[in-house]
Amino acid sequence: MAQILSPLPGTFYRSASPDQPPYKADGDAVSAGDVIGLIEVMKSFHEVRAETAGTNIRFIADNEDPIMAGAPIADLD
């Protein structure tokens, strides 16, 4: 099992805006390079991408959770 880690400290968002669906939902397949969320740092948004492919993503971080750099965002099988 692989983990997707936060590259930056900030606030984690699972979608581009509140009225948009999440980039990925629990149980979705993920390809390497897929955007799985955003980290907001001082009003600047940075995409979080999966580095490896997997058949099942399980989020550890919830939408709008504060997160530290290096903290796990999701598990990937």
Side-chain angles (χ1 to χ4, degrees), residues 24-36:
K24 295 290 179 181
D26 284 331
D28 283 354
V30 176
S31 297
D34 281 358
V35 175
I36 60 111

Side-chain angles (χ1 to χ4, degrees), residues 5-37:
L5 305 178
S6 177
L8 302 163
T11 303
F12 176 67
Y13 293 96
R14 289 182 59 181
S15 62
S17 66
D19 59 338
Q20 296 287 323
Y23 290 105
K24 295 290 179 181
D26 284 331
D28 283 354
V30 176
S31 297
D34 281 358
V35 175
I36 60 111

Side-chain angles (χ1 to χ4, degrees), residues 1 10 13-14 21 29 31 33 40 75-76:
M1 176 181 354
Y13 293 96
R14 289 182 59 181
S31 297
E40 183 262 327
D75 291 326
L76 188 59

Side-chain angles (χ1 to χ4, degrees), residues 29-48:
V30 176
S31 297
D34 281 358
V35 175
I36 60 111
L38 300 172
I39 302 285
E40 183 262 327
V41 181
M42 298 178 62
K43 305 297 181 198
S44 179
F45 290 86
H46 304 271
E47 293 180 339
V48 178

